[in-house]
Amino acid sequence: MKLKKIITVVTVLFLVNTTFAQDLFTKPQSNVSYLDSIKKTFIKDNIASCVDSLWMKELTSLDLYNDLENDIKNINLDEKVDYELPTALLKQRLKDMDSKSPFHIEYNQGLENIIKSFLKNRKKAYERLMAISEYYFPLFEDALAKQNVPLEIKYLAVVESALNPKAVSRVGATGLWQFMYQTGKQYNLKIDSYVDDRSDPLKASEAAAQYMTNMYKIFGDWDLVLASYNSGPGNVAKAIRRSGGQQNFWNIRKYLPQETQGYVPAFWRQCISTNTIKSTV
């Protein structure tokens, strides 16, 4: 009997000690994400850090934004510019673009003038913008495609903000797509003292695409959608009435606010100049 008790006590002590040892040497469980495994591969490199710093500075530099904003204010469709781009060649490129685009793209002398002016005077700015566009355009295209919005509208963000998510206009429009406070709230962008989704490339692009879709349902013309993005649908509707019912941007242009008169041409200047330069490379 005593022997059985001794065996039982020894067995219990053995089991207790084994459990304690397992608890002692077992590592505590922690939630490990895939990012933790990636972080382990990071190597501190001074050159890479310098490149990252310069790239972020380029992404948020305001000099291009200020230059393009002034261009829109002072755009002159009547000023002829001497630049090596034959009119016949430009007309052919516009015709080729028109055949592939939901926009109605047609030649006029004013458009030729501002395209030549941009190619002559802003080529360095173009090179910087196209470098930055490699980062942002895929995001824009994805958001626009989901709403069946023409992909050309990605160039509107160049006109709006020079692709600067930190850009703020004199009237408070903010971010890549330059949403005003009320419009941003209307399209479910969070804006408070801590967060401003207007500066979020993904959320702002989705909101911009939704805005374009809604305006197209009203006007049925993408040039008028662009004009409404700048001046508001009320001003576009007023310009249509004052023009006697015309529904082409170039026909109602003189009835629009002055900034909007240069806004849509600035969009086409950017879009066509980009395609012109690409086709010559």
Side-chain angles (χ1 to χ4, degrees):
M1 190 68 178
K2 287 183 179 180
L3 182 60
K4 285 183 178 181
K5 287 182 179 181
I6 293 171
I7 293 173
T8 302
V9 171
V10 170
T11 302
V12 170
L13 290 173
F14 175 78
L15 292 173
V16 170
N17 287 334
T18 302
T19 302
F20 177 76
Q22 287 177 343
D23 291 340
L24 184 64
F25 293 104
T26 300
K27 293 182 179 179
Q29 295 294 320
S30 61
N31 294 324
V32 179
S33 72
Y34 74 95
L35 288 176
D36 293 317
S37 61
I38 295 175
K39 288 176 184 177
K40 291 179 181 178
T41 66
F42 289 175
I43 299 174
K44 177 66 176 178
D45 185 273
N46 291 332
I47 295 178
S49 297
C50 180
V51 170
D52 288 343
S53 176
L54 291 172
W55 178 235
M56 289 306 299
K57 183 178 179 180
E58 181 71 6
L59 288 177
T60 56
S61 174
L62 287 173
D63 56 344
L64 279 178
Y65 170 71
N66 294 329
D67 288 345
L68 291 179
E69 187 179 38
N70 289 330
D71 275 357
I72 294 173
K73 292 178 185 176
N74 303 313
I75 203 165
N76 186 354
L77 274 69
D78 299 321
E79 182 182 357
K80 291 190 176 182
V81 178
D82 183 23
Y83 184 79
E84 295 180 1
L85 177 61
T87 299
L89 179 59
L90 178 60
K91 286 182 177 180
Q92 183 58 51
R93 287 179 179 166
L94 293 179
K95 186 177 180 180
D96 292 341
M97 289 177 65
D98 183 57
S99 66
K100 304 172 185 176
S101 173
F103 282 92
H104 180 57
I105 306 171
E106 60 182 10
Y107 169 87
N108 63 64
Q109 185 61 53
L111 194 56
E112 178 177 352
N113 292 340
I114 62 172
I115 289 170
K116 286 184 175 180
S117 175
F118 183 81
L119 292 174
K120 181 177 181 179
N121 302 316
R122 293 291 184 192
K123 200 164 185 179
K124 186 175 181 180
Y126 163 83
E127 292 169 353
R128 288 181 63 190
L129 286 168
M130 288 304 97
I132 300 171
S133 74
E134 295 292 325
Y135 182 80
Y136 286 117
F137 276 6
L139 305 179
F140 298 164
E141 290 174 353
D142 184 59
L144 295 170
K146 287 178 181 177
Q147 296 285 345
N148 293 318
V149 175
L151 298 186
E152 292 96 326
I153 287 183
K154 66 189 177 186
Y155 294 106
L156 189 64
V158 178
V159 176
E160 284 285 350
S161 65
L163 299 180
N164 188 335
K166 301 296 183 183
V168 180
S169 76
R170 68 186 187 283
V171 294
T174 300
L176 289 163
W177 295 95
Q178 290 288 280
F179 275 105
M180 294 293 289
Y181 176 84
Q182 290 296 341
T183 309
K185 298 289 280 187
Q186 181 184 349
Y187 283 86
N188 300 317
L189 295 177
K190 186 176 180 180
I191 307 169
D192 56 33
S193 300
Y194 304 100
V195 176
D196 192 340
D197 285 343
R198 293 177 295 176
S199 295
D200 184 308
L202 294 175
K203 293 178 181 178
S205 297
E206 291 172 0
Q210 185 60 59
Y211 181 96
M212 304 296 174
T213 299
N214 292 345
M215 290 301 104
Y216 188 75
K217 291 176 183 176
I218 295 173
F219 296 109
D221 180 275
W222 288 110
D223 279 337
L224 298 185
V225 169
L226 298 178
S228 73
Y229 194 84
N230 179 253
S231 66
N235 281 318
V236 175
K238 188 188 300 181
I240 291 173
R241 289 195 299 271
R242 292 178 65 190
S243 70
Q246 297 287 333
Q247 295 190 36
N248 177 286
F249 169 79
W250 298 101
N251 293 334
I252 71 168
R253 178 175 174 266
K254 63 182 178 181
Y255 301 109
L256 289 165
Q258 185 174 0
E259 182 179 328
T260 310
Q261 292 181 27
Y263 180 81
V264 175
F267 165 81
W268 281 116
R269 177 188 67 179
Q270 185 65 47
C271 183
I272 296 167
S273 296
T274 300
N275 284 277
T276 297
I277 293 174
K278 283 183 177 179
S279 64
T280 59
V281 174

